[in-house]
Amino acid sequence: NVPLTAETLALRIGYTFKDEQGYAKNVVNGENRGAIDYQAFNGKLLWQPTEQFSALFNWDWIEDRSDIPPQDARWDGNDPYRNKSDRKPKEKAPYDVSLLSMELKYELPFNATLTSVTARWDSADLVLQDFDAGVSNPADPTQNDPQIVFARLHTFRNQTFDVWSEELRLQGTLFDDSLTYTTGFYYARDNHDHEQRTEQQLQVPNPIPPPLPPCFTLGTGPVSPVFGQLCVLPTSFAQQKTSLDH
C-alpha cells in the first residue's frame, strides 16, 4: 500500500509467482510432468478528492503455463509418479486472464450512496490432455500398452471468454434508519467460444461381440494379461464447437 498524495490518491499492488519442477517422471521421454509456472498481478488505484466522492480502479492479471497434473496409468503398477503419456505437445493448460474494473461512489445528502461498477473480463484457456495415460501407436497397434478400454484418448480444448458488465446501485436508509433499501440496474454482455477435439482408439477383447465385425478385419493389438489378445478399432476423431453471445 502506497499513499501517492497526502489525502486523495493511494496505490496498492500485489504480485504472485510460483515456479515448481514436475513431481512425476515420464518414462517415455524422460521429461518431468506436473510442473507449475504461474504468475499473477493485482493493482488498485484509489482517488478520493472529496469526502463524498471516490473512484477505485482495479486490474487483475493472471498468466498460467503449468502442466496438467499427470494421469496415473494404474494398470502398469502402483507408482503414482510414473507417467507414460505420449501426447505431443505434452499435457498443459495455459490460462490467461485480464480483469479491469472501475467503481465510482458518491454519498448523497439524503443518507444514500450511489455506486457505479463497470467491469471488463477477458480470458483464454487451452487444455491438452492424455486421458489414457499410456503409449499407443495408431500405425502399429501391436505396440500399444494393454490397457482397457482406450488405447488412445487425447483431447484438445480451447475456449475464450469476453464479458462486459455495468451495475448502477442506490443504497440508503429512511425513517431514521428504520428502513434500509437497495435498488439499481445491472447489464452484462457475454461472449464465449468453445472448441474441443478428441482423438480416440478403442481396443477390446478378441473376439469382440456382435454386432461388431470380426477383429481380423480391423487389425489386432497387444496381449492383455487379463483379456488376452486385444482387437484395436481404427482411430476416430471428433470435434465440437460452441458459441454463446448474450
Side-chain angles (χ1 to χ4, degrees), residues 145-188:
D145 285 324
Q147 71 266 31
I148 306 295
V149 170
F150 285 101
R152 188 177 183 89
L153 180 54
H154 292 179
T155 61
F156 166 97
R157 192 206 72 199
N158 183 31
Q159 62 180 352
T160 60
F161 289 91
D162 182 1
V163 183
W164 179 83
S165 67
E166 172 62 35
E167 178 184 358
L168 192 63
R169 183 175 65 247
L170 180 65
Q171 294 175 292
T173 60
L174 295 172
F175 309 120
D176 296 327
D177 296 337
S178 61
L179 176 65
T180 300
Y181 66 89
T182 300
T183 184
F185 169 81
Y186 180 79
Y187 174 82

Side-chain angles (χ1 to χ4, degrees), residues 7-226:
E7 299 290 340
T8 62
L9 199 60
L11 176 68
R12 173 187 294 177
I13 58 174
Y15 179 73
T16 301
F17 176 72
K18 300 178 182 180
D19 185 13
E20 181 179 317
Q21 296 299 313
Y23 53 85
K25 177 67 71 174
N26 186 294
V27 299
V28 176
N29 54 27
E31 296 178 350
N32 289 342
R33 288 291 190 268
I36 296 177
D37 181 3
Y38 173 92
Q39 57 180 334
F41 172 83
N42 172 252
K44 295 179 183 290
L45 181 66
L46 176 63
W47 180 48
Q48 194 167 6
T50 68
E51 293 185 359
Q52 291 77 30
F53 177 77
S54 67
L56 177 64
F57 304 92
N58 179 81
W59 180 41
D60 283 295
W61 173 82
I62 297 174
E63 182 184 80
D64 192 348
R65 296 295 181 267
S66 304
D67 295 348
I68 293 177
Q71 298 285 336
D72 177 24
R74 299 305 297 269
W75 42 264
D76 74 339
N78 295 323
D79 185 357
Y81 303 108
R82 173 185 169 95
N83 178 252
K84 299 183 69 176
S85 169
D86 61 350
R87 199 191 195 296
K88 296 180 181 179
K90 70 174 183 176
E91 298 177 290
K92 295 184 72 68
Y95 181 51
D96 294 286
V97 176
S98 179
L99 172 61
L100 292 168
S101 67
M102 177 180 65
E103 181 183 81
L104 306 177
K105 281 188 177 183
Y106 186 70
E107 301 292 339
L108 299 174
F110 46 88
N111 294 329
T113 302
L114 182 62
T115 304
S116 170
V117 181
T118 306
R120 176 68 181 270
W121 170 34
D122 292 296
S123 71
D125 67 271
L126 177 67
V127 175
L128 306 171
Q129 190 148 11
D130 181 351
F131 280 101
D132 62 85
V135 178
S136 60
N137 184 352
D140 184 2
T142 61
Q143 298 181 13
N144 290 354
D145 285 324
Q147 71 266 31
I148 306 295
V149 170
F150 285 101
R152 188 177 183 89
L153 180 54
H154 292 179
T155 61
F156 166 97
R157 192 206 72 199
N158 183 31
Q159 62 180 352
T160 60
F161 289 91
D162 182 1
V163 183
W164 179 83
S165 67
E166 172 62 35
E167 178 184 358
L168 192 63
R169 183 175 65 247
L170 180 65
Q171 294 175 292
T173 60
L174 295 172
F175 309 120
D176 296 327
D177 296 337
S178 61
L179 176 65
T180 300
Y181 66 89
T182 300
T183 184
F185 169 81
Y186 180 79
Y187 174 82
R189 180 69 182 267
D190 181 7
N191 180 267
H192 172 214
D193 291 310
H194 173 274
E195 178 189 8
Q196 177 165 306
R197 299 198 297 265
T198 303
E199 175 189 359
Q200 53 194 8
Q201 184 183 36
L202 178 68
Q203 54 187 22
V204 295
N206 183 30
I208 57 178
L212 295 176
C215 185
F216 66 84
T217 63
L218 302 174
T220 58
V223 177
S224 166
V226 177

